[in-house]
Amino acid sequence: MLSLFRVFALFPLGLLQVMGWLLGWLAFLASPSYRRRFLANAALAGVGLRDRIAAIGHGGRMVAELPRLWLGRPLPSVWADNGCIERALASGRGVVFLTPHMGCFELSPQALARDYAERFGPMTILYRPARQAWLAHTMASVRERPGLQAVPTTLAGVRQLIKALRQGRAVGLLPDQVPPEGMGVWSPFFGQPAYTMTLAVRLVQQTGATVLLAWSERLSWGRGVRIHVHEMQSPLAADMTQAVTQINAEMEQMIRACPAQYLWGYARYKQPRGEF
């Protein structure tokens, strides 16, 4: 499978995105469960028909881009951050980047490592290992690159995040990923209770790190990605549930800015699994 990924990594980005658009529609039409979840989640957020149609194709593009992101030439990217990344990293307090399942989210840490790791140290990202052995091995090997360290969703991985922040470095999380039971709280997300991770809040409370919100906008016709980054509207509350609710509200605002590129088919409202 890795050999096949290497072949697709050679394809032009525009071609991969066309293939991804077809893949997205194939998944939508062929899977009743995926289709129901996609439409239900989009309806909760009040997504219009035009954005729903576009989001079907973008969901497939997210998958089709992976060979290029993991094994191919770097994607063209530009920052839209108003200098907040430089200021946060220069403060030496550590930075927690929060990125939803939106746009080309795999690119954000790669771009940060490329442009900032030499001056501010490597970035550490948390990822959930795939259940399939071949895919887990592939993910572990391709996500590691100069300036970027990937750690699994284990207690050891969390300890590495804390260590990185205390050294003034950056870490990255997907705050809309459903955590294991006992590692989250129920909090509104587009008006419906969703089990939401508390890890981001705990990291900030333990280290005093700065929170930055980021998402990578997929540009049309294979032109690359524009990475949007900004600070939270207000500091995180001391109360855990209130702080998690703040993060969900910030995620909602980001998603509403470009609902066509959010992964509405993700099972955001599922019950948490038991194991860590």
Side-chain angles (χ1 to χ4, degrees):
M1 183 59 70
L2 187 58
S3 298
L4 185 60
F5 268 48
R6 294 188 188 281
V7 173
F8 281 117
L10 300 174
F11 285 21
L13 179 60
L15 177 57
L16 288 174
Q17 290 179 346
V18 171
M19 295 168 61
W21 183 88
L22 294 171
L23 179 65
W25 275 97
L26 178 62
F28 183 82
L29 296 174
S31 174
S33 60
Y34 172 78
R35 184 168 62 250
R36 285 194 298 269
R37 184 168 62 243
F38 182 106
L39 293 174
N41 289 350
L44 276 174
V47 179
L49 179 61
R50 183 175 179 177
D51 284 326
R52 292 190 201 189
I53 292 173
I56 294 170
H58 276 288
R61 290 185 179 109
M62 189 179 295
V63 176
E65 292 165 346
L66 290 178
R68 175 69 182 272
L69 286 166
W70 287 351
L71 299 167
R73 292 179 293 107
L75 268 62
S77 60
V78 295
W79 293 102
D81 71 311
N82 197 30
C84 66
I85 297 176
E86 185 87 24
R87 292 192 298 271
L89 289 171
S91 73
R93 296 166 49 200
V95 183
V96 177
F97 282 88
L98 300 181
T99 303
H101 288 83
M102 183 176 178
C104 191
F105 65 87
E106 287 268 356
L107 177 69
S108 302
Q110 293 183 11
L112 192 83
R114 180 193 66 212
D115 295 341
Y116 291 96
E118 185 175 349
R119 286 181 293 155
F120 299 106
M123 180 182 189
T124 305
I125 57 171
L126 188 71
Y127 77 98
R128 180 179 297 170
R131 295 186 178 183
Q132 299 89 348
W134 68 267
L135 184 56
H137 174 74
T138 299
M139 291 172 63
S141 60
V142 300
R143 281 184 165 141
E144 290 280 351
R145 59 186 62 216
L148 187 62
Q149 179 185 17
V151 298
T153 50
T154 62
L155 291 175
V158 172
R159 292 190 191 100
Q160 291 185 66
L161 295 180
I162 295 173
K163 179 180 179 181
L165 289 172
R166 287 177 173 165
Q167 292 175 346
R169 306 204 315 261
V171 306
L173 307 173
L174 293 166
D176 57 344
Q177 189 171 62
V178 179
E181 188 174 2
M183 300 297 294
V185 295
W186 291 95
S187 178
F189 189 68
F190 290 113
Q192 180 165 313
Y195 198 66
T196 306
M197 68 164 60
T198 57
L199 177 58
V201 179
R202 290 190 286 117
L203 289 175
V204 173
Q205 290 178 342
Q206 291 185 40
T207 66
T210 300
V211 178
L212 292 181
L213 311 172
W215 78 279
S216 296
E217 177 188 3
R218 184 179 298 108
L219 303 178
S220 60
W221 305 107
R223 291 181 295 126
V225 174
R226 179 182 295 112
I227 309 172
H228 302 265
V229 186
H230 62 273
E231 300 97 338
M232 291 192 65
Q233 293 183 354
S234 58
L236 285 176
D239 177 78
M240 177 64 71
T241 301
Q242 291 180 12
V244 170
T245 300
Q246 280 180 265
I247 290 176
N248 273 354
E250 295 276 3
M251 293 299 107
E252 288 181 19
Q253 185 171 342
M254 292 173 67
I255 293 165
R256 291 187 192 279
C258 190
Q261 294 199 25
Y262 187 64
L263 192 63
W264 296 108
Y266 178 63
R268 182 65 185 90
Y269 303 100
K270 67 182 178 182
Q271 292 291 322
R273 69 192 192 282
E275 75 277 8
F276 186 80

